[in-house]
Amino acid sequence: MDVAQKVDTGDDDIISLSVGALSAVLRTATDHPCLLILLTDGSAYYSSVFKLINQLKTPCLFGFFEVSAGSHDANFLQKQLSKFATEAQRLRQVSWCVTVVVVSDDLAFLATFARTSNNSRLLVPETRLLAITRQPLVQLEVVKETFSLKNAMFLVVNTSSGSLRCGVYLQVPYSPLDAQALQVASWTPQRGLALTSSLPLFPDKFSRFLHRPNLRVVSVESTSHRLVLVDDPEVPGKKRITFEGIMANVNDYLAKALNFT
Protein backbone atom coordinates (compact mmCIF):
# COMPACT_ATOMS: atom_id res chain seq x y z
CA MET A 1 0.00 0.00 0.00
CA ASP A 2 1.17 3.49 -0.82
CA VAL A 3 0.66 5.42 2.40
CA ALA A 4 1.43 8.76 0.75
CA GLN A 5 -1.57 8.39 -1.52
CA LYS A 6 -3.89 7.43 1.31
CA VAL A 7 -3.06 10.05 3.90
CA ASP A 8 -5.32 13.05 3.38
CA THR A 9 -6.91 15.77 5.43
CA GLY A 10 -10.14 15.78 3.41
CA ASP A 11 -13.44 15.18 5.13
CA ASP A 12 -15.43 13.52 2.35
CA ASP A 13 -14.42 9.90 2.82
CA ILE A 14 -16.99 7.70 4.49
CA ILE A 15 -15.11 7.13 7.76
CA SER A 16 -14.57 10.86 8.25
CA LEU A 17 -18.28 11.49 7.59
CA SER A 18 -19.44 8.76 9.95
CA VAL A 19 -16.79 8.98 12.69
CA GLY A 20 -19.12 10.73 15.12
CA ALA A 21 -21.96 8.28 14.58
CA LEU A 22 -19.65 5.26 14.63
CA SER A 23 -17.99 6.37 17.86
CA ALA A 24 -21.39 6.92 19.49
CA VAL A 25 -22.67 3.50 18.39
CA LEU A 26 -19.57 1.69 19.64
CA ARG A 27 -19.55 3.53 22.97
CA THR A 28 -23.26 2.84 23.52
CA ALA A 29 -23.10 -0.83 22.53
CA THR A 30 -19.85 -1.69 24.35
CA ASP A 31 -19.21 -0.92 28.00
CA HIS A 32 -15.97 -2.89 28.40
CA PRO A 33 -12.72 -3.37 26.49
CA CYS A 34 -13.41 -4.99 23.16
CA LEU A 35 -11.60 -5.98 19.98
CA LEU A 36 -12.49 -3.70 17.07
CA ILE A 37 -11.67 -5.05 13.60
CA LEU A 38 -11.98 -2.43 10.86
CA LEU A 39 -12.13 -3.49 7.20
CA THR A 40 -12.18 -0.94 4.36
CA ASP A 41 -12.29 -1.28 0.59
CA GLY A 42 -9.33 1.06 0.04
CA SER A 43 -11.37 4.25 -0.23
CA ALA A 44 -10.76 5.53 3.31
CA TYR A 45 -7.99 7.95 4.24
CA TYR A 46 -5.58 6.78 6.92
CA SER A 47 -6.03 10.12 8.66
CA SER A 48 -9.72 9.26 9.11
CA VAL A 49 -8.82 5.90 10.63
CA PHE A 50 -6.48 7.62 13.12
CA LYS A 51 -9.23 10.14 13.88
CA LEU A 52 -11.60 7.28 14.69
CA ILE A 53 -9.06 5.62 17.00
CA ASN A 54 -8.47 8.89 18.86
CA GLN A 55 -12.20 9.62 19.20
CA LEU A 56 -13.14 6.26 20.69
CA LYS A 57 -13.46 6.71 24.43
CA THR A 58 -13.78 3.01 25.30
CA PRO A 59 -10.39 1.26 25.58
CA CYS A 60 -10.15 -1.46 22.97
CA LEU A 61 -7.81 -3.54 20.88
CA PHE A 62 -7.76 -2.43 17.26
CA GLY A 63 -7.09 -4.25 13.99
CA PHE A 64 -7.13 -2.42 10.66
CA PHE A 65 -7.40 -4.24 7.32
CA GLU A 66 -7.66 -2.89 3.78
CA VAL A 67 -8.77 -4.93 0.77
CA SER A 68 -9.00 -2.97 -2.45
CA ALA A 69 -12.35 -3.14 -4.20
CA GLY A 70 -10.91 -1.57 -7.35
CA SER A 71 -10.23 -4.88 -9.07
CA HIS A 72 -12.97 -6.23 -11.35
CA ASP A 73 -11.72 -9.78 -10.79
CA ALA A 74 -14.32 -11.35 -8.49
CA ASN A 75 -12.12 -14.35 -7.73
CA PHE A 76 -9.24 -12.10 -6.66
CA LEU A 77 -11.53 -10.14 -4.33
CA GLN A 78 -12.88 -13.38 -2.89
CA LYS A 79 -9.36 -14.66 -2.18
CA GLN A 80 -8.32 -11.40 -0.53
CA LEU A 81 -11.40 -11.32 1.70
CA SER A 82 -10.83 -14.97 2.61
CA LYS A 83 -7.31 -14.03 3.73
CA PHE A 84 -8.79 -11.20 5.78
CA ALA A 85 -11.23 -13.60 7.46
CA THR A 86 -8.37 -15.93 8.39
CA GLU A 87 -6.27 -13.14 9.91
CA ALA A 88 -9.28 -11.62 11.68
CA GLN A 89 -10.09 -14.98 13.28
CA ARG A 90 -6.57 -15.05 14.72
CA LEU A 91 -7.16 -11.63 16.25
CA ARG A 92 -10.52 -12.80 17.59
CA GLN A 93 -8.75 -15.39 19.72
CA VAL A 94 -7.35 -12.66 21.99
CA SER A 95 -10.74 -11.21 22.90
CA TRP A 96 -14.14 -12.72 23.64
CA CYS A 97 -15.81 -9.42 22.72
CA VAL A 98 -15.41 -8.63 19.01
CA THR A 99 -16.96 -6.00 16.74
CA VAL A 100 -16.26 -6.11 13.00
CA VAL A 101 -16.79 -2.83 11.12
CA VAL A 102 -16.81 -3.09 7.32
CA VAL A 103 -16.73 0.20 5.41
CA SER A 104 -17.67 0.36 1.73
CA ASP A 105 -19.99 1.95 -0.84
CA ASP A 106 -19.21 -0.88 -3.28
CA LEU A 107 -22.11 -3.36 -3.45
CA ALA A 108 -19.94 -6.09 -4.99
CA PHE A 109 -17.47 -5.70 -2.12
CA LEU A 110 -20.24 -5.90 0.49
CA ALA A 111 -21.84 -8.92 -1.20
CA THR A 112 -18.51 -10.76 -1.43
CA PHE A 113 -17.78 -9.95 2.21
CA ALA A 114 -21.19 -11.35 3.16
CA ARG A 115 -20.53 -14.61 1.29
CA THR A 116 -17.07 -14.91 2.80
CA SER A 117 -18.49 -14.35 6.27
CA ASN A 118 -20.97 -17.17 5.77
CA ASN A 119 -18.27 -19.55 4.53
CA SER A 120 -15.89 -18.78 7.40
CA ARG A 121 -16.24 -18.85 11.16
CA LEU A 122 -15.50 -15.16 11.57
CA LEU A 123 -19.03 -14.11 12.47
CA VAL A 124 -19.92 -16.42 15.33
CA PRO A 125 -23.09 -15.48 17.30
CA GLU A 126 -21.07 -13.42 19.81
CA THR A 127 -19.41 -11.33 17.08
CA ARG A 128 -21.03 -8.00 16.26
CA LEU A 129 -21.01 -6.74 12.67
CA LEU A 130 -21.55 -3.13 11.60
CA ALA A 131 -21.52 -2.16 7.92
CA ILE A 132 -21.02 1.53 7.10
CA THR A 133 -22.13 2.67 3.66
CA ARG A 134 -23.66 5.52 1.69
CA GLN A 135 -25.75 3.09 -0.34
CA PRO A 136 -29.53 3.45 0.19
CA LEU A 137 -31.32 0.62 1.96
CA VAL A 138 -33.04 -0.53 -1.23
CA GLN A 139 -29.62 -1.35 -2.71
CA LEU A 140 -28.57 -3.43 0.30
CA GLU A 141 -30.85 -6.33 -0.60
CA VAL A 142 -27.70 -8.16 -1.77
CA VAL A 143 -26.65 -8.69 1.85
CA LYS A 144 -30.10 -8.84 3.46
CA GLU A 145 -30.05 -12.58 4.20
CA THR A 146 -26.62 -12.54 5.83
CA PHE A 147 -27.42 -9.50 7.96
CA SER A 148 -30.77 -10.93 9.06
CA LEU A 149 -29.15 -14.08 10.46
CA LYS A 150 -26.12 -12.42 12.08
CA ASN A 151 -25.67 -10.07 15.03
CA ALA A 152 -25.42 -7.25 12.50
CA MET A 153 -26.52 -3.69 11.76
CA PHE A 154 -26.17 -1.13 8.98
CA LEU A 155 -25.00 2.44 9.55
CA VAL A 156 -26.24 4.34 6.49
CA VAL A 157 -24.68 7.76 5.87
CA ASN A 158 -26.92 10.29 4.09
CA THR A 159 -25.82 13.71 2.81
CA SER A 160 -28.40 14.10 0.05
CA SER A 161 -30.19 17.02 1.73
CA GLY A 162 -26.98 18.99 2.22
CA SER A 163 -26.78 18.03 5.89
CA LEU A 164 -25.24 14.95 7.48
CA ARG A 165 -27.57 12.30 8.87
CA CYS A 166 -26.89 8.68 9.80
CA GLY A 167 -29.42 5.92 10.36
CA VAL A 168 -28.76 2.63 12.15
CA TYR A 169 -30.78 -0.31 10.82
CA LEU A 170 -31.09 -4.04 11.33
CA GLN A 171 -32.65 -6.84 9.32
CA VAL A 172 -35.19 -8.86 11.29
CA PRO A 173 -34.75 -12.63 10.86
CA TYR A 174 -37.48 -14.57 9.06
CA SER A 175 -39.28 -11.37 8.09
CA PRO A 176 -41.49 -11.16 4.97
CA LEU A 177 -39.63 -10.80 1.67
CA ASP A 178 -40.91 -7.26 1.16
CA ALA A 179 -40.15 -6.15 4.75
CA GLN A 180 -37.80 -3.18 5.08
CA ALA A 181 -34.93 -2.95 7.51
CA LEU A 182 -35.92 -1.71 10.96
CA GLN A 183 -34.39 1.59 12.08
CA VAL A 184 -33.16 1.36 15.67
CA ALA A 185 -31.22 4.66 15.99
CA SER A 186 -30.39 7.92 14.25
CA TRP A 187 -27.47 10.32 14.55
CA THR A 188 -26.86 13.92 13.57
CA PRO A 189 -23.95 16.21 14.53
CA GLN A 190 -26.41 18.47 16.37
CA ARG A 191 -28.40 15.88 18.34
CA GLY A 192 -25.99 12.97 18.61
CA LEU A 193 -27.24 9.41 18.83
CA ALA A 194 -30.91 8.73 19.58
CA LEU A 195 -32.64 5.36 19.77
CA THR A 196 -35.73 5.23 17.56
CA SER A 197 -37.28 1.94 18.70
CA SER A 198 -37.70 -0.11 21.85
CA LEU A 199 -34.74 -2.27 20.82
CA PRO A 200 -31.17 -1.63 21.98
CA LEU A 201 -28.22 -1.58 19.60
CA PHE A 202 -27.18 -5.09 18.51
CA PRO A 203 -30.29 -6.70 20.04
CA ASP A 204 -30.69 -10.42 20.58
CA LYS A 205 -32.85 -11.04 17.50
CA PHE A 206 -33.43 -14.70 18.25
CA SER A 207 -34.77 -14.52 21.82
CA ARG A 208 -38.21 -13.59 20.45
CA PHE A 209 -39.07 -12.85 16.80
CA LEU A 210 -40.55 -9.41 16.13
CA HIS A 211 -42.58 -10.65 13.17
CA ARG A 212 -44.40 -13.91 13.80
CA PRO A 213 -42.85 -16.10 11.09
CA ASN A 214 -44.24 -19.37 9.79
CA LEU A 215 -41.37 -21.85 10.17
CA ARG A 216 -41.02 -25.35 8.76
CA VAL A 217 -40.45 -27.89 11.54
CA VAL A 218 -39.15 -31.41 10.85
CA SER A 219 -40.59 -34.14 13.09
CA VAL A 220 -39.87 -37.85 13.45
CA GLU A 221 -42.73 -40.14 14.41
CA SER A 222 -42.23 -42.33 17.49
CA THR A 223 -44.28 -43.96 20.22
CA SER A 224 -44.30 -40.71 22.17
CA HIS A 225 -44.73 -38.51 19.11
CA ARG A 226 -47.66 -39.66 16.98
CA LEU A 227 -48.78 -38.47 13.54
CA VAL A 228 -52.51 -37.79 13.39
CA LEU A 229 -54.75 -36.91 10.44
CA VAL A 230 -57.49 -34.42 11.29
CA ASP A 231 -60.35 -33.16 9.15
CA ASP A 232 -59.71 -29.79 7.52
CA PRO A 233 -61.93 -28.74 4.57
CA GLU A 234 -59.57 -25.87 3.65
CA VAL A 235 -56.56 -28.02 2.66
CA PRO A 236 -56.08 -30.35 -0.33
CA GLY A 237 -57.39 -33.81 0.43
CA LYS A 238 -59.53 -32.42 3.28
CA LYS A 239 -57.03 -33.86 5.77
CA ARG A 240 -54.26 -32.07 7.69
CA ILE A 241 -51.24 -33.69 9.33
CA THR A 242 -50.56 -32.86 12.95
CA PHE A 243 -48.66 -34.45 15.81
CA GLU A 244 -49.60 -35.42 19.34
CA GLY A 245 -47.31 -36.23 22.23
CA ILE A 246 -44.45 -34.88 24.30
CA MET A 247 -42.44 -33.36 21.41
CA ALA A 248 -45.56 -31.74 19.97
CA ASN A 249 -46.12 -30.05 23.32
CA VAL A 250 -42.48 -28.90 23.42
CA ASN A 251 -42.81 -27.48 19.92
CA ASP A 252 -45.98 -25.60 20.86
CA TYR A 253 -44.21 -24.20 23.93
CA LEU A 254 -41.26 -23.00 21.84
CA ALA A 255 -43.58 -21.48 19.22
CA LYS A 256 -45.35 -19.47 21.89
CA ALA A 257 -42.15 -18.39 23.65
CA LEU A 258 -40.25 -17.43 20.47
CA ASN A 259 -43.30 -16.09 18.61
CA PHE A 260 -43.49 -18.32 15.54
CA THR A 261 -46.16 -20.54 14.00
Side-chain angles (χ1 to χ4, degrees), residues 80-230:
Q80 293 301 307
L81 286 173
S82 295
K83 289 181 180 179
F84 154 75
T86 299
E87 295 300 323
Q89 287 185 64
R90 292 178 181 175
L91 271 181
R92 194 186 67 196
Q93 295 175 1
V94 304
S95 176
W96 65 274
C97 171
V98 181
T99 300
V100 177
V101 178
V102 55
V103 182
S104 181
D105 291 328
D106 188 300
L107 291 175
F109 183 91
L110 293 173
T112 305
F113 170 81
R115 290 195 300 271
T116 304
S117 301
N118 283 333
N119 295 334
S120 70
R121 290 290 297 164
L122 174 60
L123 299 180
V124 296
E126 296 81 10
T127 303
R128 294 168 170 172
L129 170 62
L130 181 64
I132 304 178
T133 184
R134 281 175 285 204
Q135 290 285 354
L137 284 175
V138 67
Q139 297 295 332
L140 298 175
E141 290 291 315
V142 294
V143 295
K144 179 178 180 179
E145 182 176 358
T146 296
F147 275 67
S148 68
L149 298 178
K150 303 296 182 181
N151 187 8
M153 301 191 305
F154 296 107
L155 196 160
V156 178
V157 181
N158 189 332
T159 58
S160 60
S161 63
S163 59
L164 176 61
R165 302 191 312 275
C166 297
V168 183
Y169 303 85
L170 63 84
Q171 293 286 356
V172 178
Y174 306 118
S175 57
L177 293 177
D178 58 349
Q180 295 183 345
L182 174 66
Q183 184 172 3
V184 293
S186 64
W187 181 91
T188 64
Q190 296 77 24
R191 298 183 179 181
L193 185 71
L195 298 180
T196 57
S197 78
S198 59
L199 297 176
L201 300 179
F202 295 106
D204 182 358
K205 297 187 291 185
F206 293 94
S207 60
R208 183 172 176 82
F209 301 123
L210 293 180
H211 303 299
R212 194 181 187 194
N214 186 287
L215 303 182
R216 184 173 299 170
V217 178
V218 178
S219 298
V220 177
E221 189 175 11
S222 67
T223 56
S224 61
H225 191 56
R226 301 178 302 279
L227 182 151
V228 180
L229 290 175
V230 296

